[in-house]
Amino acid sequence: MYRSIFKLLFFVLLSVTCRAQDDSTAAEKPESKILATQRQLRLGVNTSTPVINALASDSLSKRSAYEVTLDYAFKNDVYLVLEGGFGGSTIHYTDLKYNTNNSYARIGIDKSMLQRLFPNDWDMLFVGVRYGIGLINRSEATFSTNDNFWGATTGTIPAKSMTAHWAELNAGMRVELLKHLFAGYNIRAKFLANDKAFRELPPAYVAGYGKVEKSTVFDFNFYLCYALRW
């Protein structure tokens, strides 16, 4: 399902980029003068993650994540981006029970592929990179096994604190629906840098990254944002 969405959005992104490049080539506007006199700070909320996590959760396995994002346009359509949030997961199977919680932050840059044609033109189609870090706490886990020879056994795995590091490649868009109010999406490819740290009972879900038993994951996020300008 995710792969189909990514393919569709990729082709949409590619076609819009081609049209935008043609338009910007035809239009001769003083972009440097626009950027020299305009600044924007935009605050956004990830509205898709709570919905996706609610659909993916059930009575035995639950997960949650909440995220805000902040970006600042500072030079030649380059945006400095800071994202952060928190969440966790709960596993309540018959033979395994534990929970995790974590906070995370991502920092990076986005480069808009659209040339600004006039001062109030803040729509963007972008590519970007991120560095992400997540601080994770896993509770003590209880487990049970049932073997025909040894019979039923129970045990515990001690609680553990972990740190996840990952890099991201991003692509997406932001469109100003009303004055100062934006909507848009991010497509993310995430690459876990320290997957060896999660070989023993990895968290079922890490907010900000996903399933850490996978060294590469893909994600889609939808945002609503509000911008301050001066």
Side-chain angles (χ1 to χ4, degrees), residues 5 11 16 23 40 78 93 128 185 188 191 196 202 214 218:
I5 293 174
F11 287 119
V16 173
D23 292 342
Q40 176 177 271
V78 176
Y93 299 141
Y185 64 83
R188 304 176 186 269
F191 309 95
K196 294 181 179 179
K214 298 181 179 180
F218 297 91

Side-chain angles (χ1 to χ4, degrees), residues 9-69:
L9 292 174
F10 174 77
F11 287 119
V12 171
L13 198 63
L14 183 62
S15 64
V16 173
T17 302
C18 293
R19 290 200 303 270
Q21 290 176 340
D22 293 339
D23 292 342
S24 61
T25 301
E28 296 180 358
K29 298 292 182 178
E31 181 187 11
S32 60
K33 184 179 292 186
I34 292 173
L35 294 178
T37 58
Q38 297 286 316
R39 290 292 182 267
Q40 176 177 271
L41 183 67
R42 184 166 47 198
L43 176 66
V45 178
N46 184 344
T47 61
S48 59
T49 303
V51 176
I52 294 173
N53 286 342
L55 295 175
S57 298
D58 55 39
S59 60
L60 301 179
S61 177
K62 297 181 180 180
R63 66 189 203 187
S64 63
Y66 305 94
E67 177 182 310
V68 295
T69 179

Side-chain angles (χ1 to χ4, degrees), residues 175-205:
V175 177
E176 190 167 13
L177 303 177
L178 301 171
K179 188 175 182 180
H180 300 287
L181 181 64
F182 287 79
Y185 64 83
N186 280 46
I187 303 171
R188 304 176 186 269
K190 307 178 186 182
F191 309 95
L192 189 63
N194 61 330
D195 55 308
K196 294 181 179 179
F198 302 98
R199 290 183 174 177
E200 179 187 1
L201 191 60
Y205 175 79

Side-chain angles (χ1 to χ4, degrees), residues 57-176:
S57 298
D58 55 39
S59 60
L60 301 179
S61 177
K62 297 181 180 180
R63 66 189 203 187
S64 63
Y66 305 94
E67 177 182 310
V68 295
T69 179
L70 189 70
D71 65 51
Y72 172 62
F74 68 99
K75 183 179 179 181
N76 295 332
D77 287 334
V78 176
Y79 291 70
L80 179 64
V81 183
L82 179 64
E83 301 164 334
F86 64 93
S89 62
T90 299
I91 296 297
H92 200 269
Y93 299 141
T94 302
D95 55 353
L96 181 64
K97 297 179 176 65
Y98 69 98
N99 61 73
T100 60
N101 61 79
N102 76 281
S103 58
Y104 66 93
R106 293 189 292 248
I107 187 169
I109 59 173
D110 287 335
K111 176 66 172 70
S112 179
M113 309 303 291
L114 299 179
Q115 182 182 9
R116 291 182 61 197
L117 303 179
F118 47 88
N120 292 326
D121 178 17
W122 289 96
D123 293 346
M124 61 183 294
L125 186 72
F126 64 86
V127 294
V129 294
R130 304 280 192 278
Y131 163 71
I133 182 171
L135 305 178
I136 309 162
N137 293 308
R138 191 198 69 211
S139 70
E140 180 181 77
T142 60
F143 66 90
S144 61
T145 61
N146 194 353
D147 184 85
N148 292 332
F149 182 77
W150 297 104
T153 60
T154 60
T156 61
I157 300 174
K160 187 177 182 180
S161 296
M162 297 161 278
T163 303
H165 303 270
W166 67 91
E168 294 185 8
L169 296 177
N170 276 232
M173 65 185 301
R174 298 287 186 271
V175 177
E176 190 167 13

